[in-house]
Amino acid sequence: METVVKKTRKQQIEEKATKLFRQKGYAATSMRDLAQVLGIEAASLYSHIKSKEEILQKICFRMADEFFDAWKEVEMESGNHAAKMEKAAICYVKVITKNTDASAVFFHEWRHLSEPYLSEFLAMKNDYEGRFIKILRDGMQSGEFHEADEKFMMLTILSSLNWTHNWYKPSGNLSPEEVGSKLANLILNGLKK
């Protein structure tokens, strides 16, 4: 027998807002739009949330926390630097594909955060990017990777992973783990024979 978990009104609001922010963009989504898709009056939204930005904050920081939680798997990887980079790509894709609407909002709408949240978010982003740079730097220092511009390589890797939310379908032929592994292989080995 399947257990059905009833979502709270706040969870329903966040879910609908996430979809709207992805479809229309944060700036173009009004509280009236959100109320309309929920079938309630705009004024009654404020009994559940303080503001539209509160929802954006929750989406962005929840996603950031999920990326950091997933990184624990990367830290446990005991193989070489290529194995660590593959594990990082797999963990990253698993988070992205868990909720592609939230991922799209996370990647594209964080710029609308106000202070102090924007600075906090950027610090988390820099920390996370630094973890990819460390794998690259360690791999270069050990001779496992070619010498290259670390920041450029990190941005290239994350850019290729970040677009997964646009094309990934849970009903597709590849699992998130397979997608992450294939992308990591392409990044690490390229197309050369």
Side-chain angles (χ1 to χ4, degrees), residues 27-79:
T29 301
S30 69
M31 291 296 270
R32 180 170 279 122
D33 295 332
L34 183 53
Q36 187 176 10
V37 298
L38 288 162
I40 61 175
E41 294 293 322
S44 58
L45 277 173
Y46 292 103
S47 64
H48 301 284
I49 58 169
K50 292 177 193 157
S51 66
K52 183 172 79 163
E53 188 182 345
E54 177 189 24
I55 301 169
L56 181 63
Q57 291 166 10
K58 285 188 177 183
I59 296 165
C60 289
F61 286 97
R62 182 177 55 242
M63 288 293 300
D65 288 343
E66 287 180 24
F67 282 116
F68 282 108
D69 286 345
W71 194 266
K72 292 171 187 164
E73 273 188 64
V74 179
E75 291 169 343
M76 292 188 321
E77 175 58 52
S78 59

Coordinates of all heavy atoms in Angstrom, one line a residue, residues 27-79:
A27 N 11.5 37.9 -12.0 CA 11.1 39.3 -12.1 C 9.7 39.4 -12.8 O 8.9 40.2 -12.4 CB 12.1 40.1 -12.9
A28 N 9.4 38.5 -13.7 CA 8.1 38.6 -14.5 C 7.0 37.9 -13.7 O 5.8 38.1 -14.1 CB 8.3 38.1 -15.9
T29 N 7.3 37.2 -12.7 CA 6.2 36.5 -11.9 C 5.7 37.4 -10.8 O 6.5 37.8 -10.0 CB 6.8 35.2 -11.3 OG1 7.3 34.3 -12.4 CG2 5.7 34.4 -10.6
S30 N 4.4 37.6 -10.8 CA 3.9 38.4 -9.7 C 3.2 37.5 -8.7 O 2.9 36.4 -8.9 CB 2.8 39.4 -10.3 OG 1.7 38.6 -10.8
M31 N 2.9 38.1 -7.5 CA 2.2 37.4 -6.5 C 0.8 37.1 -7.0 O 0.2 36.0 -6.7 CB 2.1 38.2 -5.2 CG 3.5 38.4 -4.5 SD 4.1 36.8 -4.0 CE 3.4 36.8 -2.3
R32 N 0.2 37.9 -7.8 CA -1.1 37.7 -8.4 C -1.0 36.4 -9.3 O -1.9 35.6 -9.3 CB -1.5 38.9 -9.2 CG -2.9 38.7 -9.9 CD -3.5 40.0 -10.5 NE -4.1 40.7 -9.4 CZ -3.7 42.0 -9.0 NH1 -2.8 42.6 -9.7 NH2 -4.3 42.6 -8.0
D33 N 0.1 36.3 -10.1 CA 0.2 35.1 -11.0 C 0.3 33.8 -10.1 O -0.4 32.8 -10.4 CB 1.6 35.1 -11.7 CG 1.6 36.2 -12.8 OD1 0.6 36.7 -13.3 OD2 2.8 36.7 -13.0
L34 N 1.0 33.9 -9.0 CA 1.1 32.8 -8.1 C -0.2 32.4 -7.5 O -0.6 31.3 -7.4 CB 2.2 33.1 -7.0 CG 2.5 31.9 -6.0 CD1 2.8 30.6 -6.7 CD2 3.6 32.4 -5.1
A35 N -0.9 33.4 -7.0 CA -2.2 33.2 -6.4 C -3.2 32.6 -7.4 O -4.0 31.7 -7.1 CB -2.8 34.5 -5.9
Q36 N -3.1 33.0 -8.6 CA -4.0 32.5 -9.7 C -3.8 31.0 -9.9 O -4.7 30.3 -10.0 CB -3.8 33.3 -11.0 CG -4.8 32.9 -12.0 CD -4.6 33.8 -13.3 OE1 -3.7 34.6 -13.4 NE2 -5.6 33.7 -14.2
V37 N -2.5 30.6 -10.0 CA -2.3 29.2 -10.3 C -2.7 28.3 -9.1 O -2.9 27.1 -9.2 CB -0.8 28.8 -10.7 CG1 -0.5 29.5 -12.0 CG2 0.2 29.2 -9.7
L38 N -2.7 28.9 -7.9 CA -3.1 28.2 -6.7 C -4.6 28.3 -6.4 O -5.1 27.6 -5.6 CB -2.3 28.8 -5.4 CG -0.8 28.5 -5.4 CD1 -0.1 29.5 -4.4 CD2 -0.6 27.1 -4.9
G39 N -5.2 29.2 -7.1 CA -6.7 29.3 -7.0 C -7.1 30.0 -5.7 O -8.1 29.7 -5.1
I40 N -6.2 30.9 -5.2 CA -6.5 31.7 -4.0 C -6.4 33.2 -4.3 O -5.9 33.6 -5.3 CB -5.6 31.3 -2.8 CG1 -4.1 31.5 -3.2 CG2 -5.9 29.8 -2.5 CD1 -3.2 31.2 -2.0
E41 N -6.8 34.0 -3.3 CA -6.6 35.4 -3.4 C -5.1 35.8 -3.1 O -4.5 35.2 -2.3 CB -7.5 36.1 -2.4 CG -9.0 36.0 -2.7 CD -9.4 36.7 -4.0 OE1 -8.9 37.8 -4.3 OE2 -10.2 36.1 -4.7
A42 N -4.6 36.8 -3.8 CA -3.2 37.2 -3.6 C -3.0 37.6 -2.2 O -1.9 37.2 -1.6 CB -2.9 38.3 -4.6
A43 N -3.9 38.2 -1.5 CA -3.7 38.7 -0.1 C -3.5 37.5 0.8 O -2.8 37.6 1.8 CB -4.9 39.5 0.3
S44 N -4.2 36.4 0.5 CA -4.0 35.2 1.4 C -2.7 34.5 1.3 O -2.3 33.7 2.2 CB -5.2 34.2 1.2 OG -5.2 33.8 -0.1
L45 N -1.9 34.8 0.2 CA -0.6 34.2 0.1 C 0.3 34.7 1.3 O 1.1 33.9 1.8 CB 0.1 34.7 -1.2 CG -0.2 33.9 -2.4 CD1 0.4 34.6 -3.6 CD2 0.3 32.5 -2.3
Y46 N 0.1 35.9 1.7 CA 0.9 36.5 2.8 C 0.7 35.9 4.2 O 1.5 36.1 5.1 CB 0.7 38.0 2.8 CG 1.3 38.7 1.6 CD1 0.5 39.1 0.6 CD2 2.7 38.8 1.4 CE1 1.0 39.7 -0.6 CE2 3.2 39.4 0.3 CZ 2.3 39.8 -0.7 OH 2.9 40.4 -1.9
S47 N -0.3 35.1 4.3 CA -0.5 34.3 5.5 C 0.4 33.1 5.6 O 0.6 32.5 6.6 CB -2.0 33.9 5.8 OG -2.4 33.0 4.8
H48 N 1.0 32.8 4.4 CA 1.9 31.6 4.3 C 3.4 32.0 4.1 O 4.3 31.3 4.4 CB 1.4 30.7 3.2 CG 0.0 30.2 3.4 ND1 -0.3 29.2 4.3 CD2 -1.1 30.5 2.8 CE1 -1.6 29.0 4.2 NE2 -2.1 29.8 3.3
I49 N 3.6 33.1 3.4 CA 4.9 33.6 3.0 C 5.0 35.1 3.3 O 4.0 35.8 3.2 CB 5.3 33.2 1.6 CG1 4.3 33.9 0.6 CG2 5.4 31.7 1.4 CD1 4.7 33.8 -0.8
K50 N 6.3 35.5 3.5 CA 6.5 37.0 3.7 C 6.5 37.7 2.4 O 6.1 38.8 2.3 CB 7.8 37.2 4.4 CG 7.8 36.7 5.9 CD 9.2 36.9 6.5 CE 9.3 36.1 7.8 NZ 10.6 35.8 8.2
S51 N 7.2 37.1 1.4 CA 7.4 37.8 0.1 C 7.8 36.8 -1.0 O 8.1 35.6 -0.7 CB 8.5 38.8 0.3 OG 9.8 38.1 0.5
K52 N 7.8 37.2 -2.2 CA 8.2 36.4 -3.3 C 9.7 36.1 -3.2 O 10.1 35.0 -3.5 CB 7.9 37.2 -4.6 CG 8.2 36.5 -5.9 CD 7.8 37.3 -7.1 CE 8.7 38.4 -7.5 NZ 8.6 38.9 -8.8
E53 N 10.4 37.0 -2.7 CA 11.9 36.8 -2.5 C 12.1 35.7 -1.5 O 13.1 34.9 -1.6 CB 12.7 38.0 -2.2 CG 14.2 37.7 -2.2 CD 15.1 38.8 -1.8 OE1 14.6 40.0 -1.8 OE2 16.3 38.6 -1.6
E54 N 11.3 35.6 -0.5 CA 11.5 34.5 0.5 C 11.5 33.1 -0.2 O 12.3 32.3 0.1 CB 10.4 34.6 1.6 CG 10.5 33.4 2.6 CD 9.2 33.3 3.5 OE1 8.2 33.8 3.1 OE2 9.4 32.7 4.6
I55 N 10.6 33.0 -1.2 CA 10.5 31.7 -1.9 C 11.8 31.5 -2.7 O 12.4 30.4 -2.7 CB 9.3 31.7 -2.8 CG1 8.0 31.8 -2.0 CG2 9.3 30.4 -3.7 CD1 6.8 32.1 -2.9
L56 N 12.3 32.6 -3.4 CA 13.5 32.5 -4.1 C 14.7 32.1 -3.2 O 15.5 31.2 -3.6 CB 13.8 33.8 -4.9 CG 15.1 33.8 -5.7 CD1 15.0 32.8 -6.8 CD2 15.3 35.2 -6.2
Q57 N 14.8 32.7 -2.1 CA 15.8 32.4 -1.1 C 15.8 30.9 -0.7 O 16.8 30.2 -0.7 CB 15.7 33.2 0.2 CG 16.0 34.7 0.0 CD 15.5 35.5 1.2 OE1 15.1 35.0 2.2 NE2 15.5 36.8 1.0
K58 N 14.6 30.4 -0.4 CA 14.5 29.0 0.0 C 14.9 28.1 -1.2 O 15.6 27.1 -0.9 CB 13.0 28.7 0.3 CG 12.7 29.2 1.7 CD 11.3 28.8 2.2 CE 11.1 29.3 3.6 NZ 9.9 28.9 4.2
I59 N 14.5 28.4 -2.4 CA 14.9 27.6 -3.5 C 16.4 27.6 -3.7 O 17.1 26.5 -3.8 CB 14.2 28.0 -4.8 CG1 12.7 27.9 -4.8 CG2 14.8 27.3 -6.1 CD1 12.0 28.7 -5.9
C60 N 17.0 28.7 -3.7 CA 18.5 28.9 -4.0 C 19.3 28.2 -2.8 O 20.2 27.5 -3.1 CB 18.8 30.3 -4.1 SG 18.2 31.1 -5.7
F61 N 18.9 28.5 -1.6 CA 19.7 28.0 -0.5 C 19.5 26.5 -0.3 O 20.4 25.7 0.1 CB 19.5 28.8 0.8 CG 20.2 30.1 0.7 CD1 19.6 31.3 0.3 CD2 21.6 30.2 0.9 CE1 20.2 32.5 0.2 CE2 22.3 31.4 0.8 CZ 21.6 32.6 0.4
R62 N 18.3 26.0 -0.5 CA 18.0 24.6 -0.4 C 18.8 23.8 -1.5 O 19.5 22.8 -1.2 CB 16.5 24.3 -0.6 CG 16.2 22.8 -0.4 CD 14.7 22.4 -0.5 NE 14.1 23.0 -1.7 CZ 13.1 23.9 -1.8 NH1 12.6 24.4 -0.6 NH2 12.6 24.3 -2.9
M63 N 18.8 24.3 -2.7 CA 19.7 23.7 -3.8 C 21.1 23.7 -3.4 O 21.8 22.7 -3.6 CB 19.4 24.4 -5.1 CG 18.1 24.2 -5.8 SD 17.8 22.5 -6.3 CE 19.1 22.2 -7.5
A64 N 21.6 24.9 -2.9 CA 23.0 25.0 -2.5 C 23.4 23.9 -1.4 O 24.4 23.2 -1.5 CB 23.3 26.4 -2.0
D65 N 22.5 23.8 -0.5 CA 22.7 22.8 0.6 C 22.7 21.4 0.0 O 23.5 20.5 0.4 CB 21.6 22.9 1.6 CG 21.7 24.1 2.5 OD1 22.8 24.8 2.5 OD2 20.7 24.5 3.2
E66 N 21.9 21.1 -1.0 CA 21.9 19.8 -1.6 C 23.2 19.5 -2.4 O 23.7 18.4 -2.3 CB 20.7 19.6 -2.6 CG 19.4 19.5 -1.9 CD 18.2 19.4 -2.8 OE1 18.3 18.9 -4.0 OE2 17.0 19.7 -2.4
F67 N 23.7 20.5 -3.0 CA 25.0 20.4 -3.7 C 26.1 20.1 -2.7 O 26.9 19.2 -2.9 CB 25.4 21.6 -4.5 CG 24.7 21.7 -5.8 CD1 23.8 22.7 -6.1 CD2 24.9 20.8 -6.8 CE1 23.1 22.8 -7.3 CE2 24.2 20.8 -8.1 CZ 23.3 21.9 -8.3
F68 N 26.1 20.8 -1.6 CA 27.1 20.6 -0.5 C 27.0 19.2 0.1 O 28.0 18.5 0.4 CB 27.1 21.7 0.5 CG 27.8 23.0 0.0 CD1 27.1 24.1 -0.3 CD2 29.2 23.0 -0.1 CE1 27.7 25.2 -0.7 CE2 29.9 24.1 -0.6 CZ 29.1 25.3 -0.9
D69 N 25.7 18.8 0.4 CA 25.5 17.5 1.0 C 26.0 16.4 0.0 O 26.6 15.4 0.4 CB 24.0 17.3 1.2 CG 23.5 18.0 2.5 OD1 24.3 18.5 3.2 OD2 22.3 18.2 2.6
A70 N 25.7 16.6 -1.3 CA 26.2 15.6 -2.3 C 27.7 15.5 -2.3 O 28.3 14.5 -2.7 CB 25.6 15.9 -3.6
W71 N 28.4 16.6 -2.0 CA 29.8 16.7 -2.1 C 30.5 15.7 -1.1 O 31.6 15.3 -1.3 CB 30.3 18.1 -1.9 CG 31.8 18.2 -2.3 CD1 32.9 18.1 -1.5 CD2 32.3 18.4 -3.6 NE1 34.0 18.2 -2.2 CE2 33.7 18.5 -3.5 CE3 31.7 18.6 -4.9 CZ2 34.5 18.7 -4.6 CZ3 32.5 18.8 -6.0 CH2 33.9 18.8 -5.9
K72 N 29.8 15.3 -0.1 CA 30.3 14.4 0.9 C 30.7 13.1 0.2 O 31.7 12.4 0.6 CB 29.3 14.1 2.0 CG 29.1 15.3 2.9 CD 27.9 15.1 3.8 CE 27.6 16.4 4.5 NZ 26.4 16.5 5.2
E73 N 30.0 12.7 -0.8 CA 30.3 11.5 -1.6 C 31.7 11.7 -2.3 O 32.5 10.7 -2.5 CB 29.3 11.1 -2.7 CG 28.1 10.3 -2.2 CD 27.2 9.9 -3.3 OE1 27.7 9.2 -4.2 OE2 26.1 10.3 -3.3
V74 N 31.9 12.9 -2.8 CA 33.1 13.2 -3.6 C 34.3 13.1 -2.6 O 35.3 12.5 -3.0 CB 33.0 14.6 -4.2 CG1 34.3 14.9 -4.9 CG2 31.8 14.7 -5.1
E75 N 34.1 13.6 -1.4 CA 35.2 13.5 -0.4 C 35.6 12.1 0.0 O 36.7 11.8 0.4 CB 34.8 14.3 0.8 CG 34.7 15.8 0.6 CD 34.1 16.6 1.7 OE1 33.4 16.0 2.6 OE2 34.2 17.8 1.7
M76 N 34.6 11.2 -0.2 CA 34.9 9.8 0.2 C 35.6 9.0 -0.9 O 36.1 7.9 -0.7 CB 33.6 9.1 0.6 CG 33.0 9.6 1.9 SD 31.6 8.7 2.6 CE 30.7 8.3 1.2
E77 N 35.6 9.6 -2.1 CA 36.2 8.9 -3.3 C 37.7 8.8 -3.0 O 38.4 9.8 -2.8 CB 36.0 9.8 -4.6 CG 36.7 9.3 -5.8 CD 36.3 7.8 -6.2 OE1 35.1 7.5 -6.3 OE2 37.3 7.0 -6.3
S78 N 38.2 7.6 -3.1 CA 39.6 7.3 -2.8 C 40.5 7.1 -4.0 O 41.7 6.9 -3.9 CB 39.8 6.2 -1.8 OG 39.2 5.0 -2.4
G79 N 39.9 7.2 -5.2 CA 40.6 6.9 -6.4 C 41.5 8.1 -6.8 O 41.7 9.1 -6.0

